[in-house]
């Protein structure tokens, strides 16, 4: 509870006690009114001020005005009839209780999101003359060595140069198992160091580090509004004035009709009371408050699971996803290739691997990383010049002045080099040295442990089609797709072909069924942006993916895709429940109010009761563990 909430709570308690106590004081007439005015002012002064300010600023029709008119009207009516002041005070009191409850709930879910924001490191340790000095992470340059002690957050992305330890990544990924790291491992900022002291050579500036990117993303999430939220805002803008004018009509027309039409008593009191009840019932706060809160809680709940959603609009689209298109490498497969065989003719196997590792030295493709790893030795980058990476084909470069090419059959054809077909299972990397074929390296990737389960779970969750797009050969693609049970396979695609394939799929489907593309962000950023919704996985450390995607999965477990869809659906279910529930109850009460069955107490329930129930329902979106 913050200061404002505490102050409000005191006002609520004081006003309630006074209101009840006044029932036992036998005052009459003006004294009674003045006595009751005290709790009314205590509880409602800020609403009255807001209403007046609203009128002055020309934005009269808001909830404060509704509440002000309704309660002032009820007070006036009570003076006139020397009747019950309780109702007017109760309307204000319960409205404030609702507001208090709302601010508490919003604060609570905000804190929940900021527990994710706890990843922000406050300092970085730099070693100077044998002593540790704490500096602002912003001031640490690339290539500096920072020391991270047990219990501290890793401030900046980098590579371990000294030490080994386990890292707690749960704030980033929702994964509770610690990750073991030692010399040579890349680690990202925001993890908490648990056991050993680590020295890290930074590879990025703080502003470019994972932590900063994620914080930026979460902080901006509330600015992208869903259709439901837009609808509610527009709805309230029209609805509120309509309600006020209807209430005025309800107060004036029937008595006038009675007066002139039938010559009977006008009975102004009854109709004004009905109009005031009508006003209280129709207050739209349950909707205006609970819908954004539901989305907010949904985004918060998702981020606890390591699923970062960039805005509530994306949560809405995710819930309608019927087609899931996957990139293969690094998404459904691990993207860590093992070298299974080397077929060479002119040079030794070791030599061929060395050329492969060198020519790949600048690429960030999983294939290149694996070839460098297979070579196993330090790579002297100064031996490599004129590097050209041809997306979806391979790489060419000069190694010690000799032209070397490494890539698929497409690349060999492009270079006009006669290559040998190979029928081994796996991805074939053909090598040409000095414009002559030098053999090929057979590598293979393994399917991620949860891929099969994830595809089955997507189907069980009602996703109509699962599709794989890959630049890899048809043989490998068909094998992976068959094993995983995907519905459609498109292989040997260049990155640009992937975009046109996704466009084709988009044009074939119904508008309401949304298409999600899941990639790792390495050379598939264009597709990520083109799909209805782009999901990047394994995004720890890859800013390209974080930027291009709409939903970012912090780790690379494909089951998280199912989780993300389930979270979004639960959130949208809650949104719809709240819309129908609030509008439904209000409509019923409005009719009852207009025909005179409803009194002010029912109106208070229709307003504040509905709002509190809707808020409690909204909060459920935070809970995502069991999905
Ligand atoms: P995917 O769709 O599976 O992610 P890519 O579009 O990244 O695949 O690559 C498609 C194919 O292009 C690879 O299977 C490989 O044959 C070739 N290729 C791409 N980049 C490289 C590289 N750096 N080195 C060698 N071959 C590459
Ligand atoms: Mg790829």
């Amino acid at each position: 509870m913050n200061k404002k909430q505490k102050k409000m709570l005191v006002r609520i308690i004081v006003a309630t006690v006074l209101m009840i106590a006044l029932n036992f004081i036998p005052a009459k007439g003006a004294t009674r009114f003045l006595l009751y005015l005290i709790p009314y002012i205590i509880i409602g002064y800020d609403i009255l001020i807001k209403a007046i300010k609203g009128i002055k600023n020309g934005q009269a029709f808001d909830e404060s005005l509704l509440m002000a008119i309704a309660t002032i009207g009820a007070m006036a009516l009570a003076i006139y009839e020397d009747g019950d002041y309780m109702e007017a005070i109760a309307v204000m009191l319960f409205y404030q209780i609702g507001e208090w409850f709302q601010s508490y709930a919003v604060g609570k879910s905000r804190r929940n999101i900021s527990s994710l924001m706890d990843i922000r490191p406050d300092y970085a340790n730099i070693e100077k003359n044998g002593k540790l000095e704490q500096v602002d992470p912003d001031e640490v340059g690339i290539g500096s060595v920072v020391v991270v002690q047990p219990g501290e957050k890793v401030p900046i992305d980098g590579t371990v140069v000294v030490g080994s330890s386990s890292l707690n990544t749960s704030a980033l990924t929702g994964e509770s198992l610690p990750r073991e790291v030692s010399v040579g491992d890349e680690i990202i900022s925001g993890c908490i160091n648990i056991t050993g002291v680590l020295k890290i050579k930074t590879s990025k500036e703080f502003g470019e580090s994972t932590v900063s990117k994620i914080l930026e993303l979460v902080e901006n999430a509330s600015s992208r509004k869903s259709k439901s939220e837009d609808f509610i805002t527009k709805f309230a803008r029209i609805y509120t004035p309509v309600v006020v004018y209807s209430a005025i009509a309800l107060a004036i027309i029937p008595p006038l009709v009675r007066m002139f039409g039938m010559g009977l008593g006008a009975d102004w009191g009854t109709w004004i009371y009905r109009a005031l009840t009508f006003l209280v019932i129709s207050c739209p706060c349950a909707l205006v408050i609970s819908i954004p809160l539901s989305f907010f809680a949904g985004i918060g709940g998702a981020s606890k699971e390591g699923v970062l959603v960039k805005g509530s609009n994306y949560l809405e689209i995710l819930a309608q996803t019927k087609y899931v298109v996957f990139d293969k490498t690094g998404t459904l497969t691990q993207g860590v290739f093992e070298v299974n065989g080397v077929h060479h003719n002119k040079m030794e196997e070791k030599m061929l691997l060395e050329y492969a590792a060198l020519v790949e030295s600048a690429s960030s493709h999983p294939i290149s990383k694996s070839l460098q790893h297979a070579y196993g030795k330090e790579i002297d980058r100064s031996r490599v010049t004129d590097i050209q990476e041809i997306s979806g084909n391979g790489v060419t470069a000069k190694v010690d002045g000799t032209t070397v090419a490494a890539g698929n059959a497409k690349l060999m054809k492009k270079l006009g080099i006669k290559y040998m077909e190979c029928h081994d299972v796996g991805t074939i990397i053909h090598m040409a040295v000095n414009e002559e074929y030098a053999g090929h390296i057979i590598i293979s990737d393994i399917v991620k442990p949860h891929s099969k389960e994830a595809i089955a779970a997507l189907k069980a969750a009602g996703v109509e089609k699962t599709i794989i797009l890959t630049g890899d050969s048809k043989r490998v693609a068909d094998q992976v797709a068959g094993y995983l049970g995907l519905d459609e396979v498109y292989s040997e695609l260049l990155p640009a072909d992937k975009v046109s394939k996704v466009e084709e799929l988009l044009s074939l489907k119904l508008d309401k069924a949304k298409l999600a593309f899941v990639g790792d962000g390495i050379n598939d950023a264009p597709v990520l942006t083109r799909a209805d919704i782009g999901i990047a996985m394994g995004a720890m450390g890859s800013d390209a993916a974080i930027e291009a995607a709409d939903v970012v999965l912090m780790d690379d477990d494909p089951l998280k895709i199912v989780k993300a869809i389930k979270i979004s659906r639960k959130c949208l279910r809650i949104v719809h429940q709240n819309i129908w529930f609030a509008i439904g109850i209000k409509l019923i009460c409005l009719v009852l109010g207009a025909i005179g069955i409803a009194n002010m107490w029912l109106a208070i329930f229709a307003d504040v009761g509905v709002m509190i129930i809707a808020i409690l329902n909204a909060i459920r979106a935070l809970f995502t563990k069991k999905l």
Side-chain angles (χ1 to χ4, degrees):
M1 235 188 290
N2 61 28
K3 249 195 187 149
K4 229 172 127 191
Q5 288 166 339
K6 273 193 192 135
K7 195 176 146 208
M8 195 64 220
L9 197 62
V10 171
R11 280 171 64 194
I12 289 172
I13 293 169
V14 171
T16 313
V17 170
L18 269 179
M19 190 177 79
I20 295 169
L22 284 177
N23 277 312
F24 299 101
I25 296 176
K28 283 248 157 8
T31 341
R32 202 163 82 94
F33 165 67
L34 288 175
L35 283 176
Y36 274 103
L37 198 58
I38 300 170
Y40 176 71
I41 296 291
I42 289 178
I43 197 68
Y45 72 88
D46 52 339
I47 302 292
L48 298 177
I49 293 172
K50 249 197 232 162
I52 295 168
K53 273 194 187 149
I55 295 172
K56 270 194 193 153
N57 297 338
Q59 299 162 321
F61 292 111
D62 66 354
E63 298 151 24
S64 303
L65 184 76
L66 289 186
M67 287 300 133
I69 299 177
T71 54
I72 292 175
M75 288 295 265
L77 212 56
I79 298 175
Y80 174 70
E81 295 171 345
D82 198 19
D84 190 2
Y85 293 101
M86 285 269 279
E87 286 184 344
I89 301 170
V91 168
M92 209 49 123
L93 183 65
F94 281 100
Y95 178 74
Q96 293 284 35
I97 290 175
E99 290 285 296
W100 181 87
F101 194 74
Q102 171 228 335
S103 93
Y104 186 72
V106 170
K108 193 128 186 122
S109 51
R110 219 176 265 283
R111 261 193 304 282
N112 237 307
I113 292 186
S114 55
S115 75
L116 182 92
M117 298 205 170
D118 261 358
I119 57 178
R120 188 191 296 282
D122 304 318
Y123 58 86
N125 298 318
I126 299 271
E127 209 166 31
K128 254 192 201 149
N129 310 325
K131 274 200 207 129
L132 284 190
E133 209 174 280
Q134 292 191 352
V135 300
D136 188 333
D138 247 335
E139 288 164 13
V140 180
I142 298 179
S144 320
V145 174
V146 296
V147 180
V148 186
Q149 293 166 305
E152 290 180 333
K153 286 172 205 141
V154 176
I156 300 168
D157 297 0
T159 316
V160 179
V161 283
V162 177
S164 63
S165 179
S166 26
L167 297 179
N168 175 354
T169 64
S170 64
L172 293 169
T173 61
E175 167 64 60
S176 49
L177 281 182
R179 195 183 134 209
E180 302 299 325
V181 292
S182 55
V183 175
D185 288 337
E186 279 177 31
I187 63 178
I188 58 162
S189 47
C191 307
I192 297 170
N193 186 9
I194 313 175
T195 47
V197 177
L198 292 174
K199 285 191 183 175
I200 296 161
K201 188 169 179 193
T202 63
S203 59
K204 283 176 190 160
E205 278 178 26
F206 177 64
E208 293 299 312
S209 282
T210 310
V211 142
S212 307
K213 295 275 169 191
I214 292 172
L215 288 172
E216 208 175 286
L217 186 160
V218 176
E219 276 158 15
N220 291 332
S222 56
S223 64
R224 292 182 227 222
K225 294 268 179 277
S226 61
K227 280 197 189 135
S228 321
E229 281 165 286
D230 278 343
F231 164 74
I232 294 297
T233 314
K234 284 193 194 124
F235 174 79
R237 216 176 284 147
I238 301 167
Y239 170 87
T240 316
V242 167
V243 162
V244 173
Y245 290 126
S246 313
I248 294 174
L250 190 63
I252 296 178
I253 296 171
L256 282 183
V257 168
R258 277 177 80 107
M259 223 157 87
F260 296 113
M262 301 176 233
L264 293 167
D267 198 9
W268 288 97
T270 308
W271 289 100
I272 289 177
Y273 182 80
R274 286 187 192 176
L276 294 174
T277 318
F278 183 91
L279 269 188
V280 175
I281 295 171
S282 58
C283 179
C285 39
L287 288 175
V288 172
I289 289 161
S290 77
I291 304 306
L293 186 64
S294 306
F295 280 112
F296 198 65
I299 292 177
S303 62
K304 269 197 305 193
E305 292 293 316
V307 176
L308 304 183
V309 182
K310 283 192 182 171
S312 43
N313 52 336
Y314 300 122
L315 214 53
E316 203 167 39
I317 299 173
L318 201 56
Q320 302 166 354
T321 296
K322 286 278 181 253
Y323 295 75
V324 181
V325 181
F326 293 91
D327 184 46
K328 178 182 74 83
T329 313
T331 306
L332 290 173
T333 68
Q334 297 199 318
V336 182
F337 293 82
E338 294 272 327
V339 171
N340 289 352
V342 181
H343 296 169
H344 47 103
N345 51 359
K346 296 233 162 77
M347 61 179 72
E348 275 192 51
E349 176 173 331
K350 249 173 69 189
M351 192 67 189
L352 195 71
L353 265 178
E354 184 171 342
Y355 272 128
L358 281 162
V359 74
E360 295 276 8
S361 61
S363 165
S364 60
H365 198 277
I367 290 180
S368 120
K369 294 230 166 109
S370 311
L371 289 175
Q372 291 173 47
H373 185 77
Y375 172 58
K377 283 184 226 158
E378 190 78 32
I379 289 167
D380 180 3
R381 290 194 182 205
S382 64
R383 291 170 59 191
V384 197
T385 55
D386 301 320
I387 301 174
Q388 268 197 5
E389 179 153 8
I390 308 156
S391 223
N393 285 272
V395 227
T396 63
K398 281 206 164 101
V399 177
D400 306 328
T402 320
T403 50
V404 179
N408 50 18
K410 263 187 210 154
L411 181 72
M412 294 296 122
K413 281 182 198 149
K414 196 179 251 172
L415 298 174
I417 288 164
K418 262 215 173 121
Y419 61 94
M420 243 161 40
E421 294 280 352
C422 174
H423 297 289
D424 285 10
V425 180
T427 301
I428 315 290
I429 306 297
H430 296 286
M431 298 279 306
V433 178
N434 216 351
E435 278 148 43
E436 256 185 88
Y437 192 62
H440 49 249
I441 302 169
I442 305 138
I443 57 179
S444 68
D445 192 3
I446 34 174
V447 165
K448 282 186 193 165
H450 290 150
S451 291
K452 198 169 177 153
E453 213 179 312
I455 301 291
L458 280 175
K459 294 216 169 126
V463 166
E464 283 167 17
K465 239 181 217 171
T466 52
I467 301 160
I468 186 169
L469 298 186
T470 178
D472 210 341
S473 68
K474 183 168 181 342
R475 229 157 26 96
V476 178
D478 285 346
Q479 192 203 357
V480 170
Y483 171 70
L484 294 178
L486 286 140
D487 299 310
E488 288 175 21
V489 197
Y490 301 98
S491 54
E492 301 183 15
L493 301 170
L494 295 176
D497 303 331
K498 291 187 187 171
V499 177
S500 36
K501 196 79 223 168
V502 163
E503 277 172 350
E504 192 186 316
L505 292 166
L506 282 170
S507 68
L508 288 175
K509 67 173 184 56
L510 293 173
D511 205 33
K512 262 177 86 181
K514 300 293 182 199
L515 180 145
F517 179 83
V518 193
D520 60 359
I522 295 171
N523 79 28
D524 45 25
V527 207
L528 281 173
T529 37
R530 189 63 197 85
D532 287 328
I533 190 156
I535 306 176
M537 63 180 347
M540 303 214 301
S542 157
D543 338 328
I546 294 185
E547 239 134 73
D550 307 317
V551 175
V552 177
L553 308 180
M554 290 311 295
D555 61 7
D556 54 9
D557 184 350
L559 278 174
K560 282 277 163 75
I561 303 164
V562 192
K563 187 108 192 184
I565 290 181
K566 286 190 174 163
I567 290 172
S568 70
R569 289 207 190 141
K570 176 173 177 185
C571 180
L572 265 290
R573 235 179 2 252
I574 290 172
V575 166
H576 292 143
Q577 282 163 2
N578 279 350
I579 292 179
W580 291 116
F581 169 71
I583 294 181
I585 297 279
K586 274 174 198 286
L587 273 182
I588 294 172
C589 293
L590 279 178
V591 172
L592 294 179
I595 58 176
I597 296 177
N599 63 9
M600 206 52 106
W601 294 101
L602 183 76
I604 291 173
F605 167 75
D607 176 27
V608 181
V610 167
M611 168 160 135
I612 290 180
I613 293 171
I615 288 176
L616 285 175
N617 196 29
I619 294 293
R620 284 198 310 123
L622 263 178
F623 304 108
T624 51
K625 269 273 171 297
K626 287 204 196 101
L627 291 177

